[in-house]
Amino acid sequence: MAIRSQEPATTSDDLVAELRAWLESNWDPDLTVADWWERLGSSGWASPTLPANAYGRGLSRPEAALVGSEIGKFGALGAPAGLGLLLAAPTIATHGTQEQIDLYVREIVTGKKAWCQLFSEPGAGSDLAGLSTKAVEVDDEFIINGQKVWTSGGQNADMGMLLARTDPTVPKHQGITWFAFNMLQPGVDVRPLREMSGHALFSEVFISDARVSKDAVIGEVNNGWAAANTTLMYERAGLGAGGSGGGFGLALPGTKAGHLERRVGDFVVKVDQTQRRGRARQARAAASNMYVALAKGNGTWDDPNIRQQLAQLHILTEIGRFNSERMKATRSSGGDIPGIANIAKLLMSDIVRLSRDVGMSIVGAQGMLQTIDPEKQKVLDEATGNPFLSGITASALMSPAPSIYGGTDQVQRNIIGERALGLPKEPRDDHIKPFNEVARGK
Ligand SMILES: Cc1cc2nc3c(=O)[nH]c(=O)nc-3n(C[C@H](O)[C@H](O)[C@H](O)COP(=O)(O)OP(=O)(O)OC[C@H]3O[C@@H](n4cnc5c(N)ncnc54)[C@H](O)[C@@H]3O)c2cc1C
């Protein structure tokens, strides 16, 4: 159970005072990362939006954001970031038993285990419910066979949120189960895929006769679609357990990354640097100002095409901001704007693409220079006199990602058309036919 020393705070000032008092008596830079996260996670400060029975404090999103920034300001390392905190913890808190929460959520909020998401397959991405990885029940466990792909962080994961088909004789949404799956077992082969960015952020995962105990079914057997929808809801909204931003990015959770036994204070120095880079990234995302300064600096400001792109970028960014304010205001009064989250995601894809184009237009031929090695990046930045170059080229190479993950642009448009505008759905019967009778390519 979550250890709570006091009653929950009632105002922002109370909340900050309670957190500061806790940090004063618990933060110690000479602890190991594991020991610090044990304290942070078991106190509920690592996952403030989760309920108290799931190692949280039942705080709202804005309150959780405040917690994150206060931990950062205090100079302590923040919560163990990753898909565990973002997706697995809230899903298990919603659909799991108390025993499962005490096992899996506890390991996530204290950073002991890192998680990945084993949803997409070569033949099932947008149509996720068409997945064909099999889970066959044998005695008190399931035997798993299949292939997953696009598995972000698969190389460092101890555990996976596995969706597998447990009944192919019923319509596709009704025969799926959500498992807490041990990645570190025979029969799990994780093969990193190198992207054009130069990084290998994802892997493909081949699963051959791997095992998962019945105790690791989250929700009910064949009712995994409900749990999957919770996971996807958190993914689309980019929410999660409300983990604080104070130290995200550098100390990695889990047994494979090798950070748990290191001195936590050493990560805080680096965290400060990350936050500085993070702010630079935010400036790039807000974009207009930095691009305007760059364009003014290198003379491209006089190019009418670039001026027009800059104006467009500013307009789209402002529209995004207004939409987000409108969404917040409507939700805080208990209302909803159908399709607004899908519209926000589409707009983000547009902004990222336009940022890529305007950035590349401004830096010109220098945009062909790219490296992921931090030392070489410094050399490049110095040689070109543009400290933002590496960031601009890196963002350009990652620009296709937002229009794919969390539902592609086309899928967002389908949802807006069908659910928000009430347009007729495409004629189909694959959601009512038994899965094993639906024609599939292969
Ligand atoms: C950065 C990144 C990280 C990711 N991380 C993970 C992860 O950790 N775990 C995981 O499980 N997955 C992950 N994914 C995978 C992601 O969820 C899928 O790529 C996504 O759901 C799309 O599926 P797909 O790639 O199979 O494309 P497909 O579904 O095959 O789509 C191919 C094309 O067809 C279009 N299309 C498909 N269906 C329709 C339709 N009905 N109407 C109109 N157009 C359609 C799509 O828009 C797309 O252009 C990640 C993806 C990215 C980019």
Side-chain angles (χ1 to χ4, degrees):
M1 294 291 287
I3 300 161
R4 299 274 296 274
S5 54
Q6 300 169 31
E7 285 303 300
T10 50
T11 68
S12 303
D13 287 347
D14 290 346
L15 180 66
V16 171
E18 184 185 350
L19 173 59
R20 289 220 142 225
W22 186 87
L23 287 166
E24 294 287 355
S25 47
N26 284 279
W27 168 247
D28 174 357
D30 289 324
L31 291 174
T32 62
V33 170
D35 287 342
W36 166 242
W37 275 342
E38 176 65 33
R39 291 185 186 184
L40 193 72
S42 54
S43 66
W45 292 119
S47 49
T49 60
L50 291 182
N53 76 318
Y55 301 91
R57 293 184 156 247
L59 298 186
S60 66
R61 295 293 310 162
E63 286 169 330
L66 182 63
V67 167
S69 90
E70 284 301 318
I71 294 176
K73 274 193 217 157
F74 189 86
L77 181 68
L83 295 185
L85 208 60
L86 188 69
L87 306 181
T91 305
I92 298 168
T94 308
H95 298 274
T97 61
Q98 191 60 48
E99 289 72 31
Q100 290 172 328
I101 291 171
D102 289 339
L103 173 62
Y104 302 120
V105 177
R106 187 170 212 302
E107 285 175 343
I108 292 169
V109 299
T110 55
K112 287 188 179 60
K113 298 271 171 85
W115 283 62
C116 64
Q117 183 190 23
L118 298 168
F119 279 22
S120 305
E121 299 182 359
S126 302
D127 177 24
L128 180 59
L131 60 87
S132 46
T133 291
K134 274 191 273 181
V136 177
E137 197 171 336
V138 179
D139 302 326
D140 58 351
E141 58 185 8
F142 289 85
I143 313 283
I144 315 290
N145 280 286
Q147 186 195 342
K148 297 289 174 175
V149 75
W150 290 101
T151 312
S152 305
Q155 307 95 304
N156 275 333
D158 301 283
M159 297 291 296
M161 300 163 242
L162 173 70
L163 287 188
R165 187 157 303 282
T166 30
D167 187 352
T169 67
V170 292
K172 60 183 180 179
H173 296 94
Q174 296 166 27
I176 292 172
T177 301
W178 200 113
F179 295 96
F181 179 72
N182 176 10
M183 295 288 288
L184 310 180
Q185 61 168 309
V188 180
D189 181 11
V190 180
R191 299 186 197 167
L193 294 167
R194 193 155 301 276
E195 301 101 44
M196 68 177 175
S197 67
H199 295 281
L201 300 175
F202 336 104
S203 297
E204 49 187 351
V205 178
F206 294 85
I207 308 177
S208 320
D209 288 333
R211 279 148 202 279
V212 59
S213 140
K214 278 186 186 166
D215 298 343
V217 170
I218 305 297
E220 288 156 39
V221 174
N222 293 328
N223 196 22
W225 193 244
N229 269 312
T230 301
T231 316
L232 294 173
M233 191 266 284
Y234 280 97
E235 179 174 6
R236 285 184 184 143
L239 301 175
S244 49
F248 275 9
L250 278 159
L252 295 175
T255 61
K256 292 188 80 183
H259 292 174
L260 293 181
E261 293 315 314
R262 289 171 55 188
R263 181 180 173 273
V264 67
D266 294 341
F267 286 93
V268 175
V269 179
K270 291 179 185 167
V271 165
D272 288 344
Q273 287 162 356
T274 304
Q275 286 175 325
R276 277 199 289 280
R277 282 201 291 272
R279 279 198 283 275
R281 267 198 294 274
Q282 272 171 11
R284 279 196 289 278
S288 322
N289 290 343
M290 186 197 65
Y291 289 134
V292 167
L294 278 177
K296 282 183 174 167
N298 75 359
T300 49
W301 180 243
D302 294 327
D303 180 330
N305 287 327
I306 289 181
R307 292 165 77 93
Q308 196 162 9
Q309 280 181 324
L310 284 167
Q312 241 178 332
L313 187 57
H314 177 72
I315 291 166
L316 284 188
T317 310
E318 282 299 282
I319 292 174
R321 191 168 66 78
F322 291 143
N323 260 345
S324 142
E325 291 302 320
R326 200 158 65 99
M327 181 159 66
K328 274 191 228 155
T330 310
R331 290 203 172 145
S332 68
S333 58
D336 191 22
I337 306 172
I340 187 90
N342 310 90
I343 292 169
K345 182 157 190 292
L346 275 174
L347 192 61
M348 179 179 72
S349 298
D350 279 343
I351 290 173
V352 169
R353 272 191 294 266
L354 187 56
S355 301
R356 172 197 63 201
D357 294 346
V358 71
M360 287 295 118
S361 305
I362 291 170
V363 299
Q366 286 184 0
M368 289 187 286
L369 303 171
Q370 161 66 11
T371 170
I372 58 168
D373 177 336
E375 289 308 312
K376 290 184 184 158
Q377 275 173 358
K378 275 189 222 152
V379 174
L380 213 59
D381 291 350
E382 276 163 27
T384 58
N386 179 355
F388 297 109
L389 184 64
S390 307
I392 291 172
T393 50
S395 307
L397 289 170
M398 277 306 287
S399 63
S403 57
I404 304 174
Y405 63 68
T408 65
D409 285 1
Q410 290 75 16
V411 167
Q412 303 299 333
R413 289 195 178 92
N414 282 353
I415 295 172
I416 294 167
E418 292 174 4
R419 297 192 206 155
L421 302 177
L423 297 175
K425 293 188 176 186
E426 268 180 63
R428 50 190 277 224
D429 61 4
D430 63 332
H431 60 304
I432 45 172
K433 265 190 176 173
F435 178 75
N436 56 7
E437 290 175 19
V438 175
R440 282 190 306 280
K442 253 199 190 175

